[in-house]
Amino acid sequence: MTGCVDAVFEKALEKGSRQERLVRDEALALAARITPDRLHALGRAALANRRRRFGDRATFVFNMQINPANICGAGCTFCNYAASKNDPHAYVMREEEILGKVAQLKPTEAHIVGGLNQVWPYARNLELVRQLRDQYPDLHIKAFTAVEIAYFARTARKTERQVLTELKAAGVETLPGGGAEIFSERLYRQHWKNKIGPTEWVRLHQMAHGLGIHTNATMLFGFGDTWAERIEHLLILREAQDQSGGFVCFIPLAFQPGEGRFLTEGPTPLETLAMTAMARLVLDNIDHIKSYWPMSGVETAAAGLSWGADDMDGTISEEKIAHLAGATTPKGLARERMTETIRMAGFTPVERDGHFKPIPKRAPEGQRSTDKPTNQKTE
Ligand code: V47
Ligand code: SF4
């Protein structure tokens, strides 16, 4: 029996390293048994696959996360970010504060998500997007999870299609991948039953793709999920992508246990690396895999580049979701620290825009006399 599983595992690695599609049994065989030898083999196959696609380049974006308010009553068991109105860690940002931070940082991308609340209802969020677009025509606005889109539609008495269309017209270019959690009805009932579940999440992303809005996809793991459920998530996503084609990037999110909750530990670094490698091998039709450092840790995220990831997300500036759940990583990384981290991992750092396109290297301050585009290559 073991020999048979090993043969399927070997075949899966061979096909995966060549960017060929794994059949279901091969995908499941990747996670059938975790041993040191298998872990190394997974990493090697995923590295070969990402090298075929990206060589030794690893991208990052100069971005900031904007979370207008953390008030939310959905009660997802894993979330430490959400607060009730009177909680000590509840906060509500004002428009001027948000616009001021953008003016100060001038990021390439703004990643905007918040809680489900009426302090920042749909109309206010829509207006924020309009103002950002108006003041920063080049800013890439990646905003609102499928969970928020569903909530906006319900509370503003509009269809989800209307909400997506209006947001796009106002300036939203892509949707982030949050709220997917893990595509398991078992875990949905246990952990986030007050918001949309897997089927609705996929439906809304496919609706966005139909409207020309590209999206990301996440998977939360390490909070009581099984390896089989993780692989199932990847297979569902792969099938959805075959149908609608608008997923740009997949981001595995390592669970942060926070304090006094149902688990005391999140996934180990090796588990996170194995998950990254499996995503690279199974998701043959999604180009980018992110190593998300606020949740995995900077070193594990950098190692993830050798386990199939090609992107480190961004400099972020002020991460809140992982940090309110006890993450000990920095809240943001300076550009220099990001490029240094990528170099230390053996890759060539490339700064990108919100669509994963390399952007020309900026000349240092004081040397921008011409301000004209140059033919200078990115690293
Ligand atoms: O949906 C909540 C997760 C997500 C915890 O699209 C937690 O580029 C770990 O989706 N431990 C929001 N995870 C973050 C997100 C994201 C992040 C970076 C980039 C992109 C992108 C998307 O964070 C939520 C939920 O799944 N989350 N609590 C926790 N304790
Ligand atoms: Fe609210 Fe999102 Fe936290 Fe769930 S994960 S409680 S929807 S902020």
Side-chain angles (χ1 to χ4, degrees):
M1 182 63 196
T2 307
C4 178
V5 170
D6 281 347
V8 184
F9 178 74
E10 295 299 337
K11 183 147 186 234
L13 293 187
E14 224 182 277
K15 286 171 73 176
S17 64
R18 291 196 304 258
Q19 277 182 256
E20 287 170 25
R21 175 153 295 200
L22 308 190
V23 298
R24 183 184 182 75
D25 283 353
E26 290 163 349
L28 287 166
L30 293 178
R33 219 153 35 89
I34 303 290
T35 66
D37 293 321
R38 281 177 165 239
L39 273 173
H40 274 269
L42 267 173
R44 272 199 307 277
L47 176 60
N49 179 316
R50 71 87 80 206
R51 274 216 173 107
R52 289 172 78 101
R53 294 167 182 261
F54 305 102
D56 283 333
R57 285 183 306 129
T59 47
F60 71 96
V61 61
F62 183 59
N63 67 349
M64 71 184 290
Q65 289 191 1
I66 299 171
N67 309 114
N70 65 342
I71 295 164
C72 183
C76 306
T77 60
F78 44 78
C79 177
N80 260 32
Y81 162 76
S84 310
K85 257 188 187 156
N86 298 322
D87 278 351
H89 77 285
Y91 71 84
V92 178
M93 291 177 85
R94 286 171 294 106
E95 283 76 356
E96 307 85 81
E97 208 181 331
I98 295 174
L99 293 166
K101 281 178 192 262
V102 176
Q104 201 184 357
L105 199 69
K106 298 191 182 58
T108 304
E109 173 192 273
H111 174 169
I112 312 172
V113 290
L116 309 183
N117 61 63
Q118 286 304 303
V119 186
W120 266 90
Y122 174 54
R124 190 172 177 188
N125 279 296
L126 183 64
E127 187 50 34
L128 173 68
V129 172
R130 282 197 187 113
Q131 286 186 38
L132 283 169
R133 175 54 65 239
D134 187 46
Q135 294 181 29
Y136 304 99
D138 296 332
L139 177 69
H140 182 100
I141 304 177
K142 177 179 77 178
F144 311 122
T145 64
V147 175
E148 290 169 288
I149 301 295
Y151 177 78
F152 289 158
R154 185 161 58 78
T155 51
R157 296 177 193 281
K158 293 185 179 242
T159 65
E160 291 140 347
R161 190 174 293 277
Q162 258 175 310
V163 168
L164 285 167
T165 308
E166 287 172 359
L167 286 171
K168 184 180 178 193
V172 167
E173 285 172 85
T174 50
L175 297 193
E181 318 316 355
I182 191 162
F183 298 153
S184 148
E185 290 296 327
R186 174 184 82 86
L187 289 161
Y188 174 39
R189 283 191 297 275
Q190 279 179 32
H191 292 284
W192 68 98
K193 61 178 186 303
N194 299 324
K195 67 183 192 191
I196 59 167
T199 313
E200 288 295 278
W201 188 94
V202 171
R203 183 180 66 78
L204 285 170
H205 276 255
Q206 293 194 309
M207 185 185 285
H209 300 169
L211 294 166
I213 305 169
H214 282 166
T215 73
N216 291 342
T218 55
M219 181 184 83
L220 177 63
F221 72 102
F223 68 115
D225 41 292
T226 64
W227 277 108
E229 283 167 333
R230 297 170 189 176
I231 298 290
E232 198 57 47
H233 183 103
L234 299 177
L235 290 171
I236 291 171
L237 197 55
R238 188 177 78 176
E239 193 185 331
Q241 176 75 337
D242 279 345
Q243 293 163 1
S244 56
F247 289 108
V248 177
C249 177
F250 175 73
I251 310 129
L253 297 173
F255 173 61
Q256 306 295 305
E259 260 187 38
R261 273 186 306 169
F262 55 98
L263 279 178
T264 52
E265 302 278 334
T268 63
L270 273 178
E271 215 174 334
T272 300
L273 295 175
M275 192 58 246
T276 306
M278 289 180 205
R280 174 55 78 198
L281 297 174
V282 175
L283 295 175
D284 59 343
N285 55 358
I286 297 184
D287 285 343
H288 302 287
I289 309 277
K290 242 180 224 188
S291 231
Y292 190 54
W293 60 266
M295 293 193 187
S296 64
V298 178
E299 288 77 14
T300 306
L305 297 173
S306 299
W307 290 68
D310 61 289
D311 187 78
M312 290 271 289
D313 190 78
T315 46
I316 297 180
S317 177
E318 247 185 285
E319 201 285 337
K320 288 204 177 73
I321 296 171
H323 288 87
L324 285 168
T328 53
T329 45
K331 289 192 174 170
L333 291 184
R335 241 196 208 104
E336 294 68 31
R337 167 113 194 255
M338 176 65 89
T339 53
E340 201 44 41
T341 302
I342 292 174
R343 273 199 198 98
M344 292 282 281
F347 292 86
T348 305
V350 175
E351 190 173 335
R352 65 163 172 90
D353 67 12
H355 291 289
F356 291 82
K357 299 261 180 311
I359 51 181
K361 237 167 75 181
R362 281 159 226 253
E365 293 286 347
Q367 291 178 27
R368 293 189 198 155
S369 52
T370 62
D371 256 353
K372 281 188 197 135
T374 66
N375 291 328
Q376 201 177 10
K377 282 208 180 88
T378 49
E379 283 174 282

